[in-house]
Amino acid sequence: MHPEGYTVCRLALDDAAALAAAYDRNREHLKPWEPTRPDAFFTEAGQRETISGRLDQVAQGLYDCWLLWHGHDVVGAANLQNIVRGAMQGADVGYWIDHGHLRRGLGVATLEFLVERAHELNLHRLGGSTNVANLPSQQVLRRCGFQEYGRIPEFLYLDGAWQDSILFNLVLHDGPPRG
């Protein structure tokens, strides 16, 4: 599924140290696209707390969380988040790739993995949003078949300011809800 030397594994509490190191290493790279993070977020203890909360959401069926590994290093994350069942059967995608591993096809491979997971979870649609300035992420979404369908002004508070976002959608099937 991913280029040679990379693996995808479910998020686990034991990943806290490696994930803290990855976030610290990518602090400036991710800063424009993320909310302002307290210093504790970049520590093992902070990641243990974050992961624990996220795993609670996984247990409730609201998230599906994965990490991208290269050897012993976390070099990305992939999530199906805000999973909604019932009539919608949808989720939003979230992903990031380590600045030292860009331009290797990992963004596309990671998003393709999330689309495959969505099929396994019997979802009908996936949504994605990107900051207007995040052209690489928009390109990844388009390469994976997502279609732009709108723009929301001041959608997310990122990097210290309200930012406009571009919205994307991918319909996975047109049959009735499954599962």
Side-chain angles (χ1 to χ4, degrees):
M1 157 92 358
H2 278 84
E4 189 173 334
Y6 294 89
T7 57
V8 177
C9 299
R10 285 187 188 278
L11 177 67
L13 198 54
D14 289 343
D15 300 331
L19 192 53
Y23 273 121
D24 191 50
R25 191 173 58 247
N26 286 278
R27 194 182 292 223
E28 289 303 311
H29 168 61
L30 296 174
K31 187 174 184 266
W33 324 120
E34 300 242 331
T36 302
R37 307 281 193 189
D39 287 338
F41 178 83
F42 300 94
T43 67
E44 181 177 352
Q47 282 306 302
R48 278 194 177 282
E49 184 177 331
T50 299
I51 292 169
S52 179
R54 189 55 48 86
L55 292 176
D56 286 345
Q57 292 173 314
V58 168
Q60 295 172 46
L62 302 173
Y63 270 73
D64 188 46
C65 301
W66 302 82
L67 294 177
L68 178 63
W69 292 83
H70 186 256
H72 297 290
D73 294 325
V74 171
V75 296
N79 302 302
L80 293 174
Q81 52 205 33
N82 307 319
I83 297 172
V84 178
R85 294 299 183 171
M88 180 183 277
Q89 296 295 323
D92 294 320
V93 297
Y95 55 91
W96 63 267
I97 303 297
D98 186 294
H99 69 90
H101 294 262
L102 296 175
R103 294 172 187 70
R104 300 179 190 188
L106 295 172
V108 169
T110 297
L111 188 51
E112 287 173 344
F113 172 79
L114 289 177
V115 170
E116 182 179 307
R117 285 292 301 150
H119 281 290
E120 292 169 7
L121 294 172
N122 296 314
L123 297 176
H124 165 69
R125 66 156 294 278
L126 292 176
S129 68
T130 71
N131 181 292
V132 171
N134 193 345
L135 300 177
S137 190
Q138 293 165 33
Q139 185 178 33
V140 167
L141 286 159
R142 286 185 180 103
R143 284 189 60 193
C144 291
F146 284 71
Q147 295 180 331
E148 180 180 334
Y149 71 91
R151 185 180 288 222
I152 299 180
E154 300 181 14
F155 184 53
L156 298 173
Y157 194 77
L158 304 173
D159 195 23
W162 288 104
Q163 304 285 329
D164 295 357
S165 288
I166 297 175
L167 303 176
F168 291 84
N169 189 60
L170 177 67
V171 175
L172 302 169
H173 67 85
D174 59 2
R178 302 185 234 171

